[in-house]
Amino acid sequence: MPAVLLTALVLVTAVAAALDWWAVATDRQATERWAKPLVMVGLVAVALASGATQSPGGPALLAALALGLVGDVFLLGDSEPRFVGGLAAFLVGHLAYVVAFVQHALDRPDLAIAGAALVAVALLAGRRILPAAIRDGGPGLGAAVALYMAVIAGMALAGWATGSPLVAAGVSLFVVSDTVLALGRFVEERPWTGPVVIVTYHLAQALIVAGMLG
């Protein structure tokens, strides 16, 4: 793939991300509805242009990105069914990331302890999430949130174990993004919740792609 095309795809994706961050920060929902999915479409295109189909773990990486796109579309709405749909899409997406990391090679399993420390901090910061989810949506929603937390924890450990600093940074930001999102939905939303969630989420996805294919 010509380098100029890859550069153009990266730039288009970066512009779409900046527009989405602005839309979230200023509550421009009409812009967010197209900018948010466009970022993930752009990352899929960047991954394809970077040779994902021929790279170890590349197909699983593409599946994870596609599931992220599906999850993003679900989460453009605020209803509980859409939230659960987004939760399910991202849960399967995190499992796809685990497969991608394993196929790419877990060269530094000793670094998984850093991922475990990150998860521990996130659990401490989000200790009110699970009780609040059960209170708001009953045991069923609580179980779904608990399962999601377990899966993203496993994804974080696997990401750190790849030994790639970019992947480690990406999975760490993913944990931050999802913790802040859940706190905002179930515990208390702050004025900065939306911007922090979207910026860390997009950086997480981009860093994982760069770490896997760079």
Side-chain angles (χ1 to χ4, degrees), residues 45-135:
V46 168
L48 286 169
S50 301
T53 55
Q54 285 81 41
S55 301
L61 172 67
L62 291 170
L65 293 171
L67 286 160
L69 172 59
V70 172
D72 282 348
V73 172
F74 269 114
L75 294 180
L76 285 171
D78 293 328
S79 68
E80 185 172 312
R82 292 190 70 119
F83 176 77
V84 173
L87 189 76
F90 278 108
L91 187 152
V92 180
H94 290 322
L95 291 174
Y97 268 133
V98 172
V99 172
F101 298 155
V102 170
Q103 292 177 342
H104 185 264
L106 303 181
D107 292 329
R108 292 294 306 275
D110 56 305
L111 291 180
I113 191 170
L118 167 73
V119 169
V121 171
L123 289 173
L124 180 62
R127 59 191 179 278
R128 293 186 290 169
I129 292 172
L130 198 53
I134 295 171
R135 183 183 64 245

Side-chain angles (χ1 to χ4, degrees), residues 28-43:
R28 301 294 206 281
Q29 295 183 13
T31 300
E32 185 184 6
R33 288 188 179 279
W34 61 263
K36 188 176 184 181
L38 181 59
V39 176
M40 292 308 296
V41 171
L43 283 176

Side-chain angles (χ1 to χ4, degrees), residues 174-200:
F174 228 133
V175 171
V176 172
S177 180
D178 281 0
T179 301
V180 174
L181 185 152
L183 284 169
R185 182 173 183 89
F186 296 117
V187 181
E188 181 182 4
E189 186 168 7
R190 307 292 183 110
W192 43 262
T193 295
V196 168
V197 168
I198 197 65
V199 171
T200 52

